[in-house]
Amino acid sequence: MKVVITADELKKGIAELNRPLGFVPTMGFLHEGHLSLVRKARAENRTVAVSIFANPTQFAPDEDLENYPRDIDRDLELLSGAGTDLVWIPTVGVMYPENFQTWVEVEELTKVLEGSYRPTHFRGVTTVVAKLFNAVRPDRVYFGQKDAQQAAVVSQMVRDLSYPLEMVVCPIVREPDGLAMSSRNTYLSAPERQAALCLSSGLFKARDAFLGGERSAQKLRDIVRQEIENEPLAELQYVSCADPETLAELKNEVENCLISLAVFVGKTRLIDNIILGK
Ligand code: AMP
């Protein structure tokens, strides 16, 4: 497994890789969720590249960039074990040289849900992902359904900018008790870790109601909201029942939907989602 930092090293490393090349962008502190993407990329391509970059432009000043968990040695061990060919760990200076002033923005899809609470987040995501795609030139890219809006926004960017690649969205990997795996779970104290189960249990209750015939968008949202409100350590930021592609909030009866939510458990902001129907 080759590890590269600069753009020149990356260029040389990429040139040596057989095609098709699968690519998994990450912010590091890897877990089984990330590794599931690497394994899928491994199964579908001749070679696999992974980037590790905690992208400063997708964090607001009051967010957790400074404290974002890091453990590069462990990440490299896990990536090597999962069959990665090349790891790119750019520095902030490599990605954002002095006088950087060009941004990639997806318009409508980024105004709702996460975008309404994190107004500069997706512009940072699409800009860095575009730069990563331009440098790596992958044939297939792998993203997690865990960040449902990010997957929708990046898919839109791929279509709108005609990136010659295939976008693959992989299912959410959960802990045995249901908590969606996230690098941020490491911030949780033991009682908070227990309280954080309200996200997945709320979503699973909504799923069970849907499977039992419940079709009211409002009732499905209320089921999730109630579960969060029953947990004293949790504070709901939003719960949404939206069209999985347009992310438009649904009214009345739903045939299929993306239920998503953001919750503060203590100081830690967690997101989770589930797709129902179809
Ligand atoms: P991050 O390092 O948080 O930026 O995540 C890198 C990629 O891994 C993104 O495409 C995420 O959606 C994906 N990912 C993170 N957690 C999970 C999970 N629990 N299951 C599946 N994919 C995930």
Side-chain angles (χ1 to χ4, degrees):
M1 187 175 77
K2 199 164 189 168
V3 180
V4 299
I5 294 177
T6 67
D8 276 349
E9 287 168 351
L10 177 75
K11 200 169 174 189
K12 285 195 198 99
I14 293 288
E16 287 164 8
L17 296 180
N18 288 318
R19 299 277 165 166
L21 166 62
F23 176 49
V24 183
T26 81
M27 299 205 299
F29 208 71
L30 304 180
H31 50 66
E32 272 301 311
H34 299 108
L35 297 178
S36 73
L37 308 188
V38 175
R39 290 196 198 99
K40 177 96 166 145
R42 174 83 266 156
E44 295 183 348
N45 300 278
R46 283 181 72 194
T47 52
V48 176
V50 175
S51 61
I52 299 177
F53 182 58
N55 172 36
T57 65
Q58 70 189 67
F59 290 79
D62 62 339
E63 292 180 349
D64 58 342
L65 176 63
E66 299 305 314
N67 300 324
Y68 198 81
R70 282 155 222 253
D71 190 342
I72 287 289
D73 292 341
R74 183 170 161 277
D75 288 349
L76 293 179
E77 220 168 277
L78 291 170
L79 290 176
S80 165
T84 308
D85 297 285
L86 182 142
V87 185
W88 185 23
I89 316 178
T91 60
V92 173
V94 164
M95 291 311 273
Y96 298 105
E98 220 178 295
N99 197 30
F100 180 89
Q101 51 183 302
T102 303
W103 299 92
V104 177
E105 267 191 87
V106 171
E107 294 183 339
E108 295 309 317
L109 272 181
T110 63
K111 291 184 178 148
V112 294
L113 304 177
E114 288 296 285
S116 64
Y117 292 94
R118 306 181 71 193
T120 58
H121 172 67
F122 285 114
R123 161 179 121 141
V125 169
T126 42
T127 300
V128 83
V129 168
K131 287 173 65 74
L132 294 168
F133 288 179
N134 292 343
V136 174
R137 290 180 296 107
D139 299 292
R140 295 196 185 88
V141 296
Y142 295 81
F143 284 81
Q145 179 61 29
K146 164 78 182 2
D147 299 279
Q149 189 175 12
Q150 171 174 277
V153 167
V154 173
S155 294
Q156 184 75 41
M157 181 190 82
V158 164
R159 282 197 298 280
D160 290 349
L161 298 185
S162 312
Y163 272 102
L165 54 80
E166 182 190 337
M167 167 114 184
V168 182
V169 181
C170 303
I172 299 176
V173 177
R174 298 180 178 281
E175 301 286 356
D177 61 6
L179 180 68
M181 289 193 184
S182 165
S183 309
R184 290 188 166 102
N185 292 348
T186 187
Y187 299 144
L188 301 169
S189 68
E192 288 170 349
R193 170 68 183 74
Q194 193 58 31
L197 289 176
C198 65
L199 283 86
S200 53
S201 63
L203 292 171
F204 296 159
K205 282 190 175 166
R207 178 192 58 198
D208 292 345
F210 184 86
L211 292 175
E214 181 60 74
R215 289 292 179 275
S216 155
Q218 194 49 47
K219 289 222 172 98
L220 292 168
R221 279 189 284 267
D222 286 344
I223 289 167
V224 180
R225 176 183 305 278
Q226 190 58 59
E227 189 75 0
I228 307 304
E229 284 176 359
N230 288 346
E231 174 48 67
L233 294 182
E235 197 188 326
L236 182 66
Q237 192 170 52
Y238 68 82
V239 56
S240 155
C241 176
D243 180 286
E245 270 142 45
T246 65
L247 306 183
E249 213 54 39
L250 295 171
K251 293 180 192 136
N252 310 324
E253 304 277 290
V254 301
E255 237 174 81
N256 79 314
C257 61
L258 169 72
I259 302 190
S260 62
L261 75 166
V263 176
F264 279 97
V265 180
K267 288 199 167 80
T268 305
R269 186 175 182 278
L270 300 176
I271 59 171
D272 200 352
N273 69 84
I274 198 164
I275 292 183
L276 302 179
K278 281 204 182 144

